[in-house]
């Protein structure tokens, strides 16, 4: 059975993803979440006690703990959603955004790289790290409408989008 490590699985989007994975797929799910003000395990009814679900209350900035989670659960892929995500809060206090979105993402990437380096064969070939970004990294479309594409230049306009742009580049 494939195991997915979902970070931020108690958040708004992450909890919908975990609910989907448990109800519509046969994947095992490890939900790694610090449970900040934005995380709520009540968004995951039925997850606790589910045979394919494990919860780890861990801060993505805590490298030894992130390493332990990789060692114990041996994920086949990571879907990284954990972030400080509220634009207005980032303007009032950017430090936590820099810490979680940049430092935390770099910790997760480094631990995943070390783990991946020791995988072999199909496990190594198949391993994926899926980083969840935001359209905010492209700035505003303005009044003219239109679309952003993956070729649109980055133009972050808040500490939130700057930290997400930085994590994308990492
Ligand atoms: N909500 C949106 O409209 C939107 C749009 C585009 C992209 N995104 C991106 O999608 C992802 C999820 O967004 P969301 O709206 O579900 O966010 P959210 O704020 O609702 O949830 C974030 C989750 O991450 C956890 N978390 C925060 N800091 C952590 C840390 N240091 N270690 C471990 N866990 C931590 C929180 O406890 C929470 O459960 C984010 O990466 C966000 O940038 C969101």
């Amino acid at each position: 059975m494939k195991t997915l490590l979902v970070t931020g699985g108690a958040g708004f989007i992450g909890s919908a993803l975990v609910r989907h994975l448990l109800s519509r797929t046969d994947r095992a799910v490890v939900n790694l979440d610090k449970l900040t003000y934005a995380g709520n395990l009540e968004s995951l009814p039925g997850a606790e006690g589910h045979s394919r679900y494990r919860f780890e209350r861990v801060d993505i900035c805590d490298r030894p703990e992130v390493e332990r989670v990789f060692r114990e659960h041996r994920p086949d892929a990571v879907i990284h959603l954990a972030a400080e995500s509220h634009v207005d809060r980032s303007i009032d206090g950017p430090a936590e955004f820099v810490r979680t979105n940049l430092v935390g993402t770099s910790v997760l990437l480094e631990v995943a790289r070390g783990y991946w380096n020791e995988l072999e064969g199909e496990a190594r070939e198949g391993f994926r790290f899926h980083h969840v970004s935001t359209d905010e990294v492209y700035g505003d479309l303005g009044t003219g409408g239109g679309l952003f594409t993956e070729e649109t230049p980055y133009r972050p306009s808040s500490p939130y989008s700057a930290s997400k742009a930085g994590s994308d580049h990492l």
Side-chain angles (χ1 to χ4, degrees), residues 138-156:
Y138 301 120
D140 296 323
L141 278 174
T143 51
L147 291 170
F148 296 125
T149 73
E150 288 181 359
E151 277 74 48
T152 303
Y154 274 46
R155 202 166 52 173

Side-chain angles (χ1 to χ4, degrees), residues 61-77:
C61 299
D62 183 343
R63 183 167 181 151
E65 271 294 277
V66 175
E67 284 174 340
R68 177 190 62 74
V69 168
F70 273 76
R71 219 172 28 246
E72 285 185 14
H73 297 285
R74 312 220 33 97
D76 296 282

Side-chain angles (χ1 to χ4, degrees), residues 10-13 33-34 36 39 58-60 81 85 100 133 160 164:
F12 174 53
I13 298 175
D33 198 299
K34 180 183 173 183
T36 67
V58 167
D59 184 337
I60 57 168
L81 296 105
S85 70
T100 286
S133 184
Y160 165 63
K164 290 296 289 189

Side-chain angles (χ1 to χ4, degrees), residues 1-5 22 25-30 51-53:
M1 192 190 339
K2 300 269 187 201
T3 298
L4 299 178
L5 175 60
L22 292 177
T25 78
D26 60 0
R27 300 292 195 263
V29 178
V30 179
S51 59
R52 289 186 283 112
Y53 177 78

Side-chain angles (χ1 to χ4, degrees), residues 7-15 31-40 56-62 80-86 96 99-101 104 131-136 160 164:
T7 74
F12 174 53
I13 298 175
S15 61
N31 175 11
L32 184 161
D33 198 299
K34 180 183 173 183
L35 296 183
T36 67
Y37 79 95
N40 186 354
E56 293 279 3
R57 186 170 191 175
V58 167
D59 184 337
I60 57 168
C61 299
D62 183 343
H80 175 35
L81 296 105
E84 286 292 334
S85 70
H86 196 281
E96 204 53 32
R99 201 183 86 88
T100 286
N101 300 357
H131 172 65
V132 176
S133 184
T134 169
D135 62 341
E136 299 261 346
Y160 165 63
K164 290 296 289 189

